[in-house]
Amino acid sequence: MNLPLHDKPQGDAADALASSFTASYAGVVAFIAVASEGSFARAADRLGIGRSAVSRSVQKLEAQLNARLFLRTTRNTSLTREGELFYENCHPGVQRIVQALEDMRELREGPPRGHLRISATAGFGRRIVAPLLAGFRARYPDVSIDLLLDDRLTDFTTDRVDVAFRDGQLEDSQIVAKRLVPMQMLVCASPAYAKKHGLPHDLDELAGHRCINFRTASGRVAEWEFRVCGQKHKFAPPSLCTFNDAELVLQSVLDGTGIAQLAGYQAGEHLREGTLVSCLTPYAPDDRGHYLCYLSRQQLPTRVRAFIDYMTDAIRAMDWQVVRDPSPADAQPIGAAHHRPAQAHRQIALPTLQERVD
């Protein structure tokens, strides 16, 4: 048990506390059982140990306390005055321990209840996680939620986080990471921008476009990621504007300011509605994902298990993923001549680029 500094005993009190830890707590448990049952035999049955073990534990406790706790005859066992006093002092504490054990068991086996601290990146948290919380709370009204939106890497211990949503590629082997859906990264522009400036046909042409970059929580500009001939290719193109908020990047693209690489959860609805168009889709990376993370699979409270199951089902059922036909043969080396990549499409038909820019 970690006590606050101002609550920690000092001097003689500290010595007494240290000494108490050497006492026979098995003896205290045996003493309470005998006092409650009125018999060493019945106490042994209740504790699931032998009568001689109960007797030895009580005798050791009496020696440590230098006091006789029971009057024992062949027919009867009763508390001495010292035993009655000790029982009165111990019983509330033991009851609290028993209640604490029951509470912990209920948290892991009973109906979901208690408090959940959830972490998510700002963009994914606002667009995906937050709208689902009302449904979770309606199903589990005894669970309260604390949602933290932060693009920094989650520190589960320091931040006291139960579950975190992470994007991209995970390298932390200390956490359990459940992949929810792929994380698609698409280079997007508004139809107005595409009509006025055209769209890049290969990665070399990005340098001639008005690119919009995202600055991460660490202060670094996020690199655009592509896959070229099966190899990962990352770089940050020269930018017209840089924002440290993903929603501002999206809004700038919608306004026709320039082009940016956006996550599928940001771009999907706009691609379906025709307010965005995409390009360079054969180069889109295919090794990223949206993950639900927690520290251990063991001894999860029911509220955490319920949240994980609910969010997994709800997010996988959402229709915001952009689906494209895999066409790796189109992804030529940078600078090589090739055909213009096909536009991204969802499971439903999207307007053509010409229909959008007109």
Side-chain angles (χ1 to χ4, degrees):
M1 178 176 64
N2 294 321
L3 296 176
L5 290 178
H6 60 275
D7 289 339
K8 289 185 177 180
Q10 298 178 356
D12 293 341
D15 293 339
L17 180 63
S19 177
S20 73
F21 278 102
T22 66
S24 173
Y25 286 99
V28 174
V29 172
F31 165 76
I32 293 293
V34 174
S36 300
E37 296 294 328
S39 162
F40 278 77
R42 287 194 295 271
D45 290 341
R46 180 175 178 182
L47 295 175
I49 59 178
R51 177 176 177 177
S52 60
V54 173
S55 181
R56 284 195 302 270
S57 294
V58 171
Q59 288 173 1
K60 183 177 179 181
L61 178 65
E62 289 177 325
Q64 289 169 338
L65 297 176
N66 195 26
R68 189 173 185 180
L69 301 176
F70 290 106
L71 295 173
R72 282 167 276 189
T73 67
T74 55
R75 295 183 177 181
N76 190 31
T77 299
S78 61
L79 288 168
T80 64
R81 182 67 189 100
E82 290 79 9
E84 291 176 351
L85 179 62
F86 190 66
Y87 180 81
E88 290 172 2
N89 288 332
C90 285
H91 189 258
V94 172
Q95 288 297 102
R96 292 180 63 181
I97 292 173
V98 171
Q99 185 61 51
L101 293 172
E102 290 297 320
D103 289 346
M104 291 301 100
R105 186 177 297 109
E106 184 177 346
L107 285 175
R108 283 162 177 78
E109 300 173 3
R113 64 181 180 88
H115 187 69
L116 273 177
R117 192 171 174 86
I118 311 301
S119 173
T121 56
F124 192 80
R126 287 194 187 99
R127 284 183 170 264
I128 305 300
V129 178
L132 295 175
L133 293 182
F136 176 79
R137 287 277 296 110
R139 183 177 296 184
Y140 303 107
D142 293 330
V143 179
S144 60
I145 299 288
D146 184 0
L147 176 61
L148 309 175
L149 299 183
D150 196 333
D151 289 325
R152 296 176 305 162
L153 196 63
T154 304
D155 186 323
F156 283 85
T157 303
T158 302
D159 298 334
R160 300 178 65 84
V161 166
D162 296 299
V163 177
F165 293 89
R166 292 187 181 177
D167 303 329
Q169 294 174 296
L170 300 187
E171 299 177 355
D172 189 347
S173 62
Q174 302 301 312
I175 64 173
V176 178
K178 182 176 185 178
R179 180 161 163 157
L180 300 172
V181 289
M183 181 180 181
Q184 297 175 314
M185 299 300 295
L186 303 164
V187 178
C188 298
S190 70
Y193 178 93
K195 184 175 183 179
K196 184 175 181 179
H197 301 284
L199 293 173
H201 298 169
D202 61 38
L203 303 190
D204 288 333
E205 294 184 11
L206 281 173
H209 280 268
R210 301 181 177 188
C211 297
I212 301 169
N213 283 335
F214 172 70
R215 190 177 300 279
T216 66
S218 68
R220 295 173 54 251
V221 173
E223 295 179 307
W224 295 23
E225 297 188 19
F226 302 96
R227 186 162 291 275
V228 180
C229 293
Q231 300 297 314
K232 184 182 298 184
H233 189 71
K234 301 170 64 175
F235 66 96
S239 64
L240 172 71
C241 296
T242 300
F243 300 99
N244 69 346
D245 184 276
E247 290 298 309
L248 292 179
V249 174
L250 171 62
Q251 188 58 53
S252 187
V253 175
L254 290 169
D255 291 342
T257 304
I259 65 175
Q261 190 173 56
L262 302 172
Y265 73 84
Q266 292 180 288
E269 191 69 23
H270 297 288
L271 288 169
R272 181 172 60 182
E273 294 173 352
T275 52
L276 286 181
V277 295
S278 64
C279 59
L280 302 177
T281 52
Y283 300 101
D286 57 5
D287 57 352
R288 297 169 63 89
H290 295 289
Y291 294 86
L292 189 153
C293 306
Y294 45 101
L295 281 180
S296 173
R297 289 188 176 91
Q298 304 299 319
Q299 300 174 328
L300 282 177
T302 54
R303 66 182 184 279
V304 175
R305 292 200 303 269
F307 184 80
I308 291 171
D309 292 343
Y310 181 90
M311 284 295 177
T312 298
D313 293 342
I315 290 175
R316 288 177 177 173
M318 295 177 71
D319 183 29
W320 51 267
Q321 284 286 90
V322 180
V323 181
R324 66 180 179 89
D325 292 327
S327 40
D330 291 338
Q332 302 289 333
I334 298 175
H338 57 280
H339 297 293
R340 180 173 180 168
Q343 295 299 320
H345 64 276
R346 292 171 60 94
Q347 294 177 350
I348 62 172
L350 293 176
T352 66
L353 176 59
Q354 189 62 41
E355 290 171 338
R356 294 176 187 174
V357 299
D358 289 344

